[in-house]
Amino acid sequence: MVIAPGLASRRGIRHALVMSEPHPPLTSLAHGGGCGCKLAPAVLRSILSEAPAPGAFADLLVGRETSDDAAVWRLNDQQALVATTDFFMPMVDDPFDFGRIAATNALSDVYAMGATPIFALAVVGMPVSVLPAEVIRRILDGGSAVCAEAGIPVAGGHSIDSVEPIYGLIALGLVHPDRILTNRGARAGDVLILTKPLGVGVLSAAFKQGRLDEDGYAALIATTTRLNRIGARLSDVQGVHAVTDVTGFGLLGHAMEMARGAGRELHIELEAVPLIAQAARLAREGVRTGASGRNWDSYGDGVILPDGFDPASRDLLTDPQTSGGLLISVAEDAAAAVLDLIRADGFVEARRIGRVTDGPPAVRVV
């Protein structure tokens, strides 16, 4: 696997020092954190398999059929509305960083559809008897800061008093109806590109265990707060056939959704997959999330690993990514230009990690 270098930032540590009222660590108030909170893929499929179909709506261009990143509704011949919601419990203790991570993650679903965000609504659940108002305000400030970076307002929202702290966004965006990017368009012969390194879940687990140093925390914050806005530009690029963001189901889980959506087999080259350097080391030392095991148990026969596959490597490929990168399926003759475009936008760790072939839907690691 390709090991990405550590990234530098001390924002989380700095913000932790300015809180005037003592409060329990945010992660101590939650049973899980980040996208590791998501229901396991198998559990979610079981629940949705019994749900009634939404019915036929001519303007519903993307629904839940292939577990895509957002719903899309045609407004007119030039515009389609992309709508999504995403929220979770804290994976870090700094309130401002928690807000930034959650907002970046929510906006990623809009970018993954090739859309440009237009505004967001906040989803807030907080144990108000435990957390001071100042702390809750800092969480919202973090989310607003990311939305400002994306060029959109947080125009409203909804809040409740809850046992565990929860924060996220309803995010809305616009895209041309003919340029929507989905997870179901991959074609045989396409190249697979991953824009961010893996390992966020491992770093989060190490943080909770007190095993993450300052460089590791900086890498965690830097990758989870990097907006995937390159996705909006990809909708105009010839040869980009499918996109999804890699979040709670891990690289293998979201690749499996892409394989099912396209009816193709995806080959992932283990040595090409970029990793956050400290996460790779911690995984070899046995640090993992509970969600990585649940993810693996949910994949069934759809994921094919070589005999004697290294357990640490498997944990990284199933590691739940909070605010992870984009997985892109692009024609071979456009792949180099697309990769250059992605790296020029700041995703210097982006790599070609495999290809798409004919065959029944599956993900094969080679």
Side-chain angles (χ1 to χ4, degrees):
M1 295 187 181
V2 178
I3 309 298
L7 305 169
S9 168
R10 294 295 181 269
R11 182 180 296 273
I13 296 170
R14 183 165 64 247
H15 280 296
L17 298 177
V18 302
M19 305 307 302
S20 61
E21 293 186 59
H23 63 88
L26 292 179
T27 53
S28 72
L29 301 175
H31 75 280
C35 284
C37 296
K38 291 177 71 169
L39 294 177
V43 174
L44 185 59
R45 284 198 304 273
S46 174
I47 293 170
L48 294 180
S49 67
E50 301 298 326
F57 294 89
D59 290 318
L60 181 61
L61 303 182
V62 180
R64 65 169 191 252
E65 298 81 12
T66 61
S67 302
D68 222 320
D69 297 299
V72 184
W73 185 271
R74 184 190 356 247
L75 298 176
N76 51 55
D77 290 342
Q78 300 297 315
Q79 294 177 311
L81 179 69
V82 175
T84 184
T85 183
D86 210 312
F87 52 88
F88 46 63
M89 293 165 283
M91 57 187 288
V92 295
D93 291 328
D94 180 82
F96 192 79
D97 283 344
F98 171 37
R100 294 169 69 212
I101 294 168
T104 306
N105 180 75
L107 291 175
S108 181
D109 287 338
V110 173
Y111 291 126
M113 306 301 293
T116 299
I118 53 174
F119 71 92
L121 305 172
V123 178
V124 184
M126 293 291 155
V128 294
S129 64
V130 176
L131 289 179
E134 180 185 6
V135 173
I136 299 172
R137 187 179 306 115
R138 290 300 291 166
I139 294 171
L140 273 60
D141 286 347
S144 294
V146 163
C147 288
E149 182 183 351
I152 65 169
V154 179
H158 184 66
S159 60
I160 63 168
D161 185 357
S162 63
V163 175
E164 297 179 290
I166 298 168
Y167 176 69
L169 299 176
I170 295 167
L172 302 173
L174 293 175
V175 65
H176 192 285
D178 296 335
R179 293 197 287 273
I180 300 166
L181 297 175
T182 71
N183 66 359
R184 60 193 182 208
R187 304 178 188 179
D190 279 1
V191 168
L192 297 172
I193 294 173
L194 182 64
T195 63
K196 288 185 183 181
L198 302 182
V200 168
V202 170
L203 294 183
S204 177
F207 175 79
K208 293 175 184 177
Q209 296 171 19
R211 298 176 61 177
L212 191 66
D213 62 24
E214 290 187 356
D215 288 340
Y217 186 81
L220 172 65
I221 299 304
T223 190
T224 54
T225 58
R226 184 185 301 162
L227 286 165
N228 280 326
R229 52 186 163 195
I230 187 63
R233 297 178 64 188
L234 293 176
S235 66
D236 293 323
V237 177
Q238 191 73 24
V240 175
H241 296 145
V243 177
T244 191
D245 66 339
V246 178
T247 55
F249 298 160
L251 174 61
L252 294 182
H254 292 284
M256 191 64 221
E257 289 179 340
M258 184 178 282
R260 289 191 182 113
R264 299 286 188 271
E265 182 170 290
L266 272 57
H267 287 207
I268 292 177
E269 301 163 11
L270 176 64
E271 293 302 319
V273 175
L275 298 175
I276 300 170
Q278 193 165 143
R281 176 180 62 78
L282 288 164
R284 289 193 296 270
E285 294 173 1
V287 177
R288 66 196 298 264
T289 70
S292 65
R294 294 194 298 273
N295 283 342
W296 174 250
D297 291 341
S298 296
Y299 299 156
D301 297 332
V303 174
I304 305 162
L305 303 180
D307 291 338
F309 197 70
D310 175 42
S313 295
R314 196 192 80 175
D315 286 344
L316 288 162
L317 294 178
T318 61
D319 189 50
Q321 302 304 288
T322 300
S323 192
L326 300 178
L327 178 63
I328 303 161
S329 181
V330 57
E332 172 75 49
D333 60 3
V338 168
L339 191 55
D340 287 345
L341 178 68
I342 293 166
R343 288 174 174 166
D345 202 54
F347 295 86
V348 295
E349 307 95 338
R351 298 287 187 276
R352 293 172 59 145
I353 66 165
R355 61 179 54 252
V356 182
T357 67
D358 284 322
V363 177
R364 186 182 299 273
V365 179
V366 296

